[in-house]
Amino acid sequence: MTTLNINGVVHNVTVPDPNMPLLWVIRDIVGLTGTKYGCGIEVCGACTVLIDGSAERSCNMSVSEAVGRKITTIEGVSADGVSHPLQKAWIQLQVPQCGYCQSGMIMAALENFPGGDGSGISNVCVCGTYQRIKAAIVLANTL
Amino acid sequence: MPAELVLEEPVSTVTEIAENEAASETLQTSSGPSRRAFIATATGGFMLQFCLPGLSRVAQAAGTVAPTQFNSYIQIGADSSITVLFGGCELGQGSMSGLAQLVAEELIVAWSKVKSVSAPPSAISYITGGSSAIRTNYLPLRTAGAAVRMMLIQAAANTWGVPVSECMASNGIVTHTPTKRTLTYGALAPAAAKLTPPTNPTLIADSNLKLIGKPLARLDIPNKVNGRAIYGIDVRIPNMVYAAVKHCPSLGGTLASMPANANGITWVNLGNAIAAVASNTYSAMAAIGEGGDNGGGGGANFNWHIPASAAQVNSTLYAAQAATLMASGKPVNAELIGNPAAAMKTAASTLTATYSFPYLAHACMEVLNCTVNLTSTTCEIWAPTQASGWVQATASAITGLPLTAITVHTTLLGGGLGRKIEQDYIAQAVTIAKTIKKPVKLTWPREEDFGRDQYRPMVLARVQGGLDAKHNIVAWENRIVTPSILAQRGWIAAGAEDGQATEAATGLPYAMLNRSVDFVAHPATVPIGFWRSVGCSFNTYVIESFIDELAHQAGIDPYTYRRTLLANNPRFLAVLDAAAQLGGWTTALPAGHARGIAISEAFGTVVAEVVEISGATATGLKVVSVACAVDCGRVINPDSVTAQMQGGIVHGLSSVLWGHITFTNGTASVRNFNNYRLVRMADMPVIKVKILSNTNAPTGAGEPGVPPLGPALANAYFRATGIRVRNLPFFPAASTMSDG
């Protein structure tokens, strides 16, 4: 049995392989699907979560590394899903297109929130929403 | 007892108050002898069923006949909420919201009362592609919305025993103006459902439009900021197992032997691929040795039969074949105006340039996936698909079940870009479900998504131009050598002209008296498909680079040169001028900066872009800004159009700077994003978009932003460095991405 603290909730889960990346434990075993698989090699950032407040790419982080630490996923950003300043700004500026990378983008932005303009984010968005992401982070700092 | 009413009427009877646009828009929407039928059923609410007869270009190319069955619906809830069901999909382009916006306009309801969902597929469903959702369905959807409004008003008038002319609809309520009596749409719905839909619905007049043209908030966005949006890859059904697929490393190869089931893994032979089925996605991917850096220590060893022909799937060989075909291939003429050969001989000066383009991947952020629950009598499918009707047909062919037994749930798509029109991943998932007899979700590892894409084709294109002494183009000869997407699918004969391979090379807006465009089919067997903007993605690069080369040879500013050539084309001229102004074409540049300009028409929309760069060297550059002007006719949601232009520009930028996939022994050179660089935050230019709004019929928005970016960038780069990029991409050696 592996014990994980995800968004303040303790999950006791059976993991078939201790090397299983945290991403797939979160998605397939815990059942929180907001964290996305994009590349599996820590390049695209779609799988970004916070571990003790630091943005980490969960696709290549073994679940055992996350035990005993505070894991925050996109589902834990706010209780109602729309009231965090980043979420408000994302909606106000109509940031997402397909939206698939946006969980990772918001988690990357959350690491340094409030502050900054997101210029250090290296996640990939094929739809090309970067300009709006930057503007939304700047706006969220004021909300 | 539910009352049912059927009426059929020819779509050509539709009229519109705004007479100045009715003619052109009717032409856009009435493709063939389509008939629309309304059925209203009284089941505690109201649902108008109707047929949107429009087909996207992909469906037309596939020989699909225009639908005549119901495929779209407007539903009114007891709480007066409005639901629009449309057979397309939401892949980020915002058109599901844009289409609902049309209905909300005609029903005169608050935007907050409207929902938009994918309709269940009918035998012939809409295929999302060709930048067509809005332009194909604009008038039919407004007409359907207007019919519903008139039925609600009629129902209220009947209830009160008053003339229709004394009643008005607004904000989900019908009011009897003289007495101020009111009834909600929800309350009126059962009575309205018993009425005959009007034969001639009256559309809201232009002067009274309240929602069309407004930047309304898209309906899909809130759930995309909190993880609640469900993409195909997120589907979870009871007792589901998880599958991952690995294809033969070489195109054309097949599985030679099956490994034994062991360690919780069940193997399924898919012919050209093998699937591992496990209790979770990671274990399935690890079993085949993919999905991550530590993908199960390499996975199983598979035995593949690789045919000798795989050695012929080779990019070096393909390039040599293309060069031969360019020199001596048998061309099919796509366009001939005047006598370009004769005019070339008498030209004062000539110029010839040859351009080459590589295969490109779609690289959707969401990898291909499909979830299937198959029983002996039913098949339920959840998929991110641009072609739900084809999914139904694919599943029927594999399972032997009738179409009516197959339910398709179109999920949100984490990008489509043309790739999710295809049926390969659907067929695999259905086959796996049929083999293992369990509900299953198939997820392609990213390595397979790159390795088995249906790529944007490679191209070799040559243009020869002849100028007279005043720099007028008196002769123009363009030859395009490329594999045909349509011929590879058997939709046209082998060697026949593929209009999607020559699009944007024919019908040029520029004044040139003598012109020919030839197509030569390249025999390469690499699977190819529809990549955002299709043929325009390379032809516009050729045309707009070459115009720039001619301008340079003539010693004329390239913007001014284009203005002269477009003197008789006011639509292009207006867009060109708007982009030049927005991009500050005539203003002074900082040291080390340079600008380029390009313009093109794609999917009926004219886009011009001015790109400003700095720090250009032989190995790199920085894009400072892109100014984009667009005329896409009547705009439904300007913010969505702006977003599509921004996205198209970024997509175009990634592709020309770094995008390329080569083949050796039938194997693609790229397996993941580390070798397929895309624009990221640090690479982003400032993008400004100006929409030239008007009341012409809507034209495409999803794709037209892509084509001008490449040549505008190339033209800026030439101005900065003197280097003319004729072989794409710009910087193949810089096409890697690392983590962090």
Side-chain angles (χ1 to χ4, degrees):
Chain A
M1 192 67 74
T2 303
T3 301
L4 296 173
N5 179 341
I6 305 177
N7 303 327
V9 177
V10 173
H11 295 265
N12 291 307
V13 294
T14 303
V15 176
D17 176 346
N19 293 321
M20 189 167 176
L22 178 62
L23 167 69
W24 294 111
V25 177
I26 291 171
R27 285 183 56 82
D28 287 359
I29 297 179
V30 177
L32 294 172
T33 56
T35 306
K36 303 303 189 200
Y37 166 67
C39 68
I41 57 170
E42 298 181 283
V43 170
C44 80
C47 64
T48 304
V49 299
L50 296 191
I51 306 289
D52 290 336
S54 295
E56 300 282 351
R57 290 176 174 176
S58 64
C59 69
N60 220 353
M61 176 186 204
S62 73
V63 63
S64 51
E65 288 178 72
V67 172
R69 303 168 75 181
K70 283 172 65 176
I71 303 161
T72 308
T73 70
I74 185 71
E75 290 88 349
V77 172
S78 69
D80 63 0
V82 291
S83 63
H84 188 280
L86 286 168
Q87 292 171 320
K88 284 189 202 169
W90 243 250
I91 294 169
Q92 188 176 326
L93 298 184
Q94 298 281 290
V95 173
Q97 290 185 28
C98 91
Y100 192 82
C101 74
Q102 300 295 339
S103 296
M105 291 290 184
I106 290 172
M107 298 314 291
L110 187 61
E111 179 186 34
N112 297 313
F113 181 81
D117 66 356
S119 54
I121 294 175
S122 61
N123 292 9
V124 172
C125 170
V126 174
C127 298
T129 63
Y130 303 104
Q131 185 165 308
R132 293 187 185 212
I133 289 171
K134 225 170 173 173
I137 292 171
V138 171
L139 173 62
N141 290 335
T142 70
L143 296 177
Chain B
M1 193 179 88
E4 192 166 280
L5 196 73
V6 184
L7 175 80
E8 290 203 351
E9 59 172 343
V11 78
S12 57
T13 61
V14 171
T15 58
E16 187 171 10
I17 289 172
E19 287 160 15
N20 60 335
E21 66 180 87
S24 62
E25 294 190 353
T26 303
L27 279 176
Q28 286 272 325
T29 53
S30 56
S31 53
S34 309
R35 295 179 70 81
R36 186 179 65 248
F38 288 161
I39 296 178
T41 54
T43 52
F46 175 101
M47 180 182 277
L48 183 77
Q49 306 187 82
F50 52 101
C51 175
L52 291 178
L55 287 173
S56 59
R57 195 174 71 170
V58 178
Q60 287 173 11
T64 308
V65 295
T68 53
Q69 302 163 325
F70 299 135
N71 58 14
S72 305
Y73 312 85
I74 297 170
Q75 198 168 16
I76 299 175
D79 62 350
S80 301
S81 64
I82 310 292
T83 305
V84 180
L85 296 94
F86 168 66
C89 68
E90 181 58 63
L91 43 76
Q93 81 284 41
S95 58
M96 293 297 281
S97 292
L99 293 170
Q101 196 168 338
L102 300 173
V103 175
E105 177 77 66
E106 290 297 338
L107 279 170
I108 320 178
V109 292
W111 184 230
S112 60
K113 289 295 227 179
V114 181
K115 284 187 293 189
S116 173
V117 299
S118 285
S122 57
I124 301 165
S125 274
Y126 185 78
I127 292 171
T128 300
S131 297
S132 61
I134 297 287
R135 63 188 173 125
T136 309
N137 299 304
Y138 166 72
L139 196 55
L141 259 178
R142 282 193 66 182
T143 303
V148 175
R149 166 175 37 84
M150 291 175 73
M151 292 166 78
L152 291 164
I153 293 173
Q154 182 70 57
N158 293 353
T159 303
W160 294 319
V162 301
V164 161
S165 59
E166 292 182 357
C167 301
M168 59 167 285
S170 181
N171 209 18
I173 292 166
V174 179
T175 301
H176 181 230
T177 311
T179 62
K180 304 281 190 276
R181 282 178 289 180
T182 62
L183 284 167
T184 67
Y185 286 3
L188 287 165
K194 297 186 176 109
L195 299 173
T196 303
T199 53
N200 237 346
T202 306
L203 304 191
I204 305 276
D206 271 10
S207 56
N208 288 332
L209 294 178
K210 292 188 174 61
L211 299 182
I212 289 174
K214 298 289 191 306
L216 301 186
R218 274 170 47 182
L219 301 169
D220 56 319
I221 283 186
N223 281 346
K224 290 180 173 176
V225 305
N226 55 29
R228 293 177 194 169
I230 299 297
Y231 300 84
I233 201 170
D234 301 326
V235 169
R236 294 161 65 84
I237 59 175
N239 306 313
M240 176 177 88
V241 291
Y242 297 77
V245 69
K246 181 181 177 70
H247 295 84
C248 177
S250 289
L251 286 161
T254 52
L255 190 67
S257 66
M258 282 282 284
N261 293 341
N263 303 323
I265 303 295
T266 302
W267 299 101
V268 178
N269 186 344
L270 295 170
N272 68 345
I274 186 166
V277 182
S279 65
N280 63 83
T281 311
Y282 167 73
S283 296
M285 288 187 182
I288 59 171
E290 292 183 347
D293 286 345
N294 62 348
N301 277 324
F302 305 107
N303 294 316
W304 302 100
H305 170 68
I306 297 173
S309 60
Q312 307 300 307
V313 182
N314 178 294
S315 289
T316 306
L317 189 62
Y318 284 169
Q321 287 173 325
T324 301
L325 290 167
M326 180 62 77
S328 56
K330 187 172 181 302
V332 181
N333 183 259
E335 184 175 67
L336 180 63
I337 296 168
N339 189 337
M344 197 71 76
K345 287 182 186 139
T346 59
S349 64
T350 63
L351 183 69
T352 304
T354 303
Y355 305 82
S356 71
F357 302 85
Y359 288 103
L360 293 177
H362 292 83
C364 300
M365 284 302 296
E366 180 196 23
V367 291
L368 298 171
N369 67 84
C370 178
T371 301
V372 179
N373 186 18
L374 177 66
T375 71
S376 59
T377 54
T378 61
C379 182
E380 198 167 7
I381 297 174
W382 293 259
T385 176
Q386 296 176 243
S388 60
W390 286 359
V391 170
Q392 216 177 22
T394 298
S396 175
I398 294 168
T399 62
L401 293 170
L403 293 176
T404 51
I406 294 158
T407 307
V408 180
H409 305 276
T410 301
T411 65
L412 287 172
L413 284 75
L417 303 167
R419 179 62 176 97
K420 288 170 184 165
I421 289 169
E422 313 295 355
Q423 298 297 301
D424 48 355
Y425 62 109
I426 307 289
Q428 289 176 342
V430 175
T431 302
I432 295 166
K434 185 180 172 185
T435 306
I436 64 171
K437 298 184 168 48
K438 285 178 188 167
V440 62
K441 173 163 70 181
L442 169 66
T443 305
W444 281 30
R446 174 60 69 188
E447 291 85 349
E448 299 300 308
D449 202 272
F450 272 111
R452 285 299 174 111
D453 200 351
Q454 302 195 23
Y455 306 88
R456 196 287 303 271
M458 56 162 284
V459 184
L460 187 67
R462 184 185 67 202
V463 189
Q464 184 171 25
L467 301 182
D468 67 11
K470 294 178 177 172
H471 314 301
N472 296 305
I473 302 173
V474 293
W476 177 279
E477 292 181 308
N478 181 1
R479 174 174 286 196
I480 301 157
V481 179
T482 183
S484 160
I485 300 171
L486 303 187
Q488 197 176 75
R489 285 148 206 264
W491 295 354
I492 61 172
E497 189 216 337
D498 181 338
Q500 299 198 20
T502 57
E503 64 178 340
T506 56
L508 296 181
Y510 297 116
M512 45 178 83
L513 293 174
N514 301 286
R515 179 166 85 220
S516 71
V517 180
D518 287 342
F519 165 75
V520 183
H522 190 288
T525 56
V526 169
I528 50 177
F530 307 97
W531 186 94
R532 193 175 189 178
S533 81
V534 197
C536 307
S537 72
F538 45 85
N539 285 323
T540 294
Y541 188 96
V542 172
I543 306 304
E544 286 300 291
S545 292
F546 194 72
I547 290 288
D548 218 75
E549 298 202 33
L550 291 177
H552 179 73
Q553 175 160 308
I556 302 173
D557 171 81
Y559 164 54
T560 306
Y561 190 64
R562 284 180 175 79
R563 290 202 89 244
T564 305
L565 294 173
L566 293 169
N568 295 319
N569 195 322
R571 188 180 181 214
F572 272 72
L573 206 49
V575 176
L576 186 74
D577 285 346
Q581 190 178 7
L582 191 64
W585 185 264
T586 56
T587 62
L589 281 162
H593 287 229
R595 292 190 191 104
I597 190 168
I599 186 168
S600 73
E601 179 177 352
F603 306 91
T605 291
V606 179
V607 178
E609 291 167 9
V610 171
V611 173
E612 183 175 330
I613 62 171
S614 67
T617 67
T619 55
L621 56 79
K622 166 75 183 165
V623 183
V624 177
S625 66
V626 180
C628 168
V630 51
D631 174 355
C632 58
R634 185 190 288 278
V635 172
I636 313 308
N637 186 328
D639 192 53
S640 285
V641 171
T642 299
Q644 286 309 298
M645 293 304 128
Q646 292 169 335
I649 285 164
V650 174
H651 206 227
L653 188 54
S654 294
S655 70
V656 297
L657 285 177
W658 308 300
H660 71 290
I661 291 185
T662 59
F663 290 85
T664 307
N665 201 26
T667 304
S669 58
V670 174
R671 302 288 288 172
N672 210 322
F673 283 118
N674 57 341
N675 288 317
Y676 203 78
R677 185 173 174 188
L678 298 167
V679 166
R680 290 186 286 184
M681 193 73 88
D683 310 308
M684 267 301 281
V686 173
I687 300 174
K688 291 181 284 188
V689 177
K690 180 173 175 55
I691 300 170
L692 281 65
S693 64
N694 54 64
T695 56
N696 295 327
T699 54
E703 297 167 270
V706 178
L709 188 283
L713 181 70
N715 297 341
Y717 187 67
F718 173 75
R719 217 134 278 115
T721 63
I723 301 168
R724 181 61 71 179
V725 179
R726 297 198 186 95
N727 301 303
L728 278 290
F730 277 55
F731 308 119
S735 63
T736 59
M737 286 198 291
S738 60
D739 52 341

